[in-house]
């Protein structure tokens, strides 16, 4: 199917820097071998041709449009996301403002509620969903970085391993975990392609998409990835 959430990430050791850049699903880009379409359809078109090829074309599409080299991919299913949060004992999250039916303040969410919070569409759009995804990722990292929660990490790893499809080699995982734990929440640099960096557009076929302003997007990408 189409990718629901797309996040470019970088882990820099030994600095402990972790950079995340959320990409709108409706961003109108050039897909190699397909032509212009929403960025989230790259996975769909490739899977329709050959099962398992979706991540390859998704990476090729990102590399071509963002002028960045991607080393690996990680594809996570919704059920796995729920299982990871449940393995943590639920997610403690603080909302700076009302979001997705929740009031401002602290909340404890189960796996199902966390997924529903991220994907909520009522009175929302892709930019709000990306912001919620970033909040959840930051909350997960903060919660797991607390020594009191380290006892839950083996269960989290089992849930994560059961739901992920990735080409990241086994020897890289300890380095990635170290980057998260060593850098901590203060070095987690999470950003999104904002509304101001795109223009709403209706295609000839009547599809509502987002045209990218590369003059604004590329500097943001360089700020995170240094390329």
């Amino acid at each position: 199917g189409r990718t629901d959430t797309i996040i470019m990430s970088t882990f820099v050791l030994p600095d402990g820097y972790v950079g995340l850049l959320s990409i709108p699903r409706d961003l109108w880009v050039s897909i190699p071998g397909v032509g212009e379409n929403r960025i989230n359809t790259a996975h769909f078109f490739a899977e329709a041709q050959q099962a398992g090829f979706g991540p390859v074309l998704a990476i090729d599409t990102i590399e071509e449009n963002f002028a960045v080299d991607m080393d690996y991919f990680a594809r996570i299913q919704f059920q796995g996301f729920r299982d990871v949060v449940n393995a943590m004992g639920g997610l403690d999250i603080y909302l700076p403002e009302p979001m997705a039916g929740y009031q401002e303040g602290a909340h404890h969410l189960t796996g199902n509620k966390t997924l529903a919070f991220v994907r909520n569409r009522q009175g929302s759009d892709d930019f709000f969903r990306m912001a919620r995804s970033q909040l959840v990722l930051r909350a997960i990292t903060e919660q797991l970085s607390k020594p009191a929660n380290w006892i839950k990490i083996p269960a989290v790893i089992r849930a994560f391993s059961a739901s992920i499809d990735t080409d990241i080699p086994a020897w890289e995982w300890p380095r990635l975990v170290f980057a998260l734990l060593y850098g901590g929440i203060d070095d987690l640099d999470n950003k999104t392609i904002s509304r101001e960096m795109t223009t709403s557009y209706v295609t000839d076929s009547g599809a509502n998409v987002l045209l990218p302003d590369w003059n604004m997007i590329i500097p943001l990408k360089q700020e995170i990835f240094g390329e």
Side-chain angles (χ1 to χ4, degrees):
R2 302 185 181 195
T3 42
D4 189 79
T5 301
I6 305 173
I7 301 178
M8 295 167 57
S9 61
T10 182
F11 294 75
V12 181
L13 292 173
D15 301 336
Y17 172 81
V18 178
L20 305 173
L21 178 61
S22 291
I23 303 173
R25 299 177 305 170
D26 293 337
L27 199 68
W28 194 250
V29 299
S30 174
I31 301 177
V34 175
E36 292 188 335
N37 213 308
R38 292 185 176 97
I39 195 168
N40 73 333
T41 63
H43 183 275
F44 166 79
F45 285 121
E47 287 290 323
Q49 292 183 353
Q50 181 179 340
F53 192 64
V56 176
L57 186 56
I59 286 178
D60 289 347
T61 300
I62 289 173
E63 289 184 332
E64 177 175 305
N65 289 274
F66 287 83
V68 63
D69 293 328
M70 293 280 100
D71 296 317
Y72 308 113
F73 76 87
R75 180 172 57 175
I76 304 173
Q77 300 291 337
F78 289 137
Q79 180 60 48
F81 180 80
R82 290 192 291 261
D83 292 344
V84 167
V85 173
N86 287 332
M88 294 169 54
L91 180 66
D92 296 319
I93 189 169
Y94 181 84
L95 305 182
E97 59 185 5
M99 294 181 181
Y102 292 92
Q103 295 299 314
E104 174 186 347
H107 299 273
H108 181 80
L109 306 180
T110 64
N112 283 332
K113 289 182 177 180
T114 301
L115 182 58
F117 171 78
V118 171
R119 301 192 70 201
N120 182 276
R121 295 174 179 268
Q122 186 174 1
S124 178
D125 62 15
D126 208 11
F127 297 101
F128 289 113
R129 287 192 293 272
M130 287 192 298
R132 293 197 298 268
S133 295
Q134 294 280 13
L135 274 175
V136 165
L137 287 175
R138 178 172 284 270
I140 289 174
T141 302
E142 184 174 16
Q143 191 164 322
L144 289 178
S145 66
K146 295 177 180 178
N149 292 321
W150 289 355
I151 192 174
K152 299 175 182 176
I153 289 181
V156 171
I157 291 175
R158 287 194 296 270
F160 186 70
S161 300
S163 63
I164 190 172
D165 173 26
T166 182
D167 61 351
I168 301 175
W171 59 266
E172 278 282 18
W173 283 106
R175 300 174 72 243
L176 302 183
V177 173
F178 175 79
L180 282 171
L181 297 181
Y182 174 78
I185 194 67
D186 292 335
D187 283 327
L188 182 60
D189 187 12
N190 51 329
K191 291 183 169 63
T192 64
I193 293 176
S194 65
R195 196 182 308 274
E196 294 74 20
M197 296 178 182
T198 66
T199 301
S200 296
Y201 179 76
V202 179
T203 66
D204 294 339
S205 61
N208 292 299
V209 301
L210 298 170
L211 301 181
D213 183 344
W214 295 113
N215 290 327
M216 298 182 68
I217 294 174
I218 293 302
L220 177 63
K221 183 267 301 188
Q222 292 173 333
E223 177 184 337
I224 299 174
F225 294 88
E227 298 185 23

